[in-house]
Amino acid sequence: AQRVTQPEKLLSVFKGAPVELKCNYSYSGSPELFWYVQYSRQRLQLLLRHISRESIKGFTADLNKGETSFHLKKPFAQEEDSAMYYCALSDSWGKLQFGAGTQVVVTP
Amino acid sequence: NAGVTQTPKFQVLKTGQSMTLQCAQDMNHEYMSWYRQDPGMGLRLIHYSVGAGITDQGEVPNGYNVSRSTTEDFPLRLLSAAPSQTSVYFCASSYRSRGAEQFFGPGTRLTVL
């Protein structure tokens, strides 16, 4: 069965410190993985997807098929990174399965 | 482009009442979906549609109905509201492609008393 696990409900980091949000998945086929972000009072939006292999707002995420993980990382957290982050897995039809989400709080 | 719009933004219902949450998109997207967002549970798929006239159930469809008569609109109907349906509801749309970005509406916060 398809599953996305985000083990941390809340991640509190200091400004300038590295931040890593964990995401593990289970999927029988070739996975398509995404990170979506929801800033306060804004709608949910795409942050990045693994097929793009890009860095957005300093964030990167590497798909590790051996460990079935897609962790999100940023070397130096900023206060504007405070938000709710969701890892999501797309099935072959394009339906998204979301993880429970990780709330990131960056304190100055 | 308005993107994905949802109405109303807030709604309070009494148990047993029915209502329709509206969703519209102007991007000519084939794929539309409804999610509910609950604390600690992320977003869960209620119903989705891959094109006009085609709908299917998601993870938590009970108590909800959908229809898709046009490409633009995808309303979600609560047949007989229950307190367990208190949640924030999001509509999303995308091109019908596995790796496509989904665009989300601003959400509807529903409280059922």
Side-chain angles (χ1 to χ4, degrees), chain B residues 59-76:
Chain B
E59 183 183 352
V60 287
N62 292 341
Y64 307 95
N65 269 0
V66 292
S67 60
R68 183 100 178 264
S69 56
T70 67
T71 299
E72 294 77 21
D73 300 297
F74 191 44
L76 177 73

Side-chain angles (χ1 to χ4, degrees), chain B residues 3 11-12 16 24 26 29 31 36 38-39 47 55-56 96 103 106-109:
Chain B
Q11 183 70 48
V12 179
D26 60 0
H29 285 164
Y31 184 88
R36 58 177 290 172
D38 301 292
H47 284 286
T55 64
D56 205 349
R96 187 180 170 184
F103 293 85
T108 294
R109 186 174 293 276

Side-chain angles (χ1 to χ4, degrees), chain B residues 17-104:
Chain B
Q17 287 184 315
S18 62
M19 79 158 295
T20 299
L21 306 185
Q22 301 291 344
C23 173
Q25 52 91 10
D26 60 0
M27 297 173 281
N28 202 32
H29 285 164
E30 298 158 295
Y31 184 88
M32 295 186 74
S33 53
W34 276 102
Y35 297 88
R36 58 177 290 172
Q37 182 185 43
D38 301 292
M41 305 191 77
L43 280 81
R44 291 181 292 167
L45 184 65
I46 305 171
H47 284 286
Y48 67 98
S49 169
V50 297
I54 307 169
T55 64
D56 205 349
Q57 296 180 353
E59 183 183 352
V60 287
N62 292 341
Y64 307 95
N65 269 0
V66 292
S67 60
R68 183 100 178 264
S69 56
T70 67
T71 299
E72 294 77 21
D73 300 297
F74 191 44
L76 177 73
R77 296 184 194 84
L78 278 71
L79 309 172
S80 177
S84 60
Q85 293 179 305
T86 293
S87 187
V88 181
Y89 292 84
F90 289 99
C91 179
S93 74
S94 70
Y95 291 109
R96 187 180 170 184
S97 165
R98 191 172 172 226
E101 174 183 0
Q102 291 205 13
F103 293 85
F104 285 82

Side-chain angles (χ1 to χ4, degrees), chain A residues 4-102:
Chain A
V4 178
T5 303
Q6 293 180 251
E8 304 126 338
K9 287 186 179 180
L10 173 66
L11 211 53
S12 186
V13 299
F14 287 107
K15 178 181 173 182
V19 60
E20 181 178 27
L21 288 74
K22 290 185 169 46
C23 173
N24 289 91
Y25 68 91
S26 63
Y27 186 66
S28 56
S30 183
E32 287 277 354
L33 287 150
F34 305 80
W35 278 98
Y36 280 82
V37 61
Q38 187 175 29
Y39 300 103
S40 179
R41 286 185 284 277
Q42 293 187 28
R43 59 183 73 190
L44 201 66
Q45 58 188 281
L46 178 68
L47 180 61
L48 54 79
R49 61 191 116 184
H50 90 270
I51 57 172
S52 301
R53 294 180 172 271
E54 55 195 346
S55 173
I56 303 293
K57 299 184 180 183
F59 284 97
T60 58
D62 291 318
L63 177 61
N64 186 323
K65 291 186 178 181
E67 296 183 357
T68 60
S69 68
F70 188 55
H71 302 328
L72 184 68
K73 300 175 186 178
K74 184 169 182 177
F76 307 103
Q78 303 298 316
E79 289 180 68
E80 55 265 30
D81 296 328
S82 294
M84 179 69 87
Y85 293 80
Y86 292 99
C87 183
L89 172 67
S90 175
D91 70 4
S92 55
W93 295 96
K95 286 190 302 180
L96 285 181
Q97 173 94 36
F98 284 87
T102 298

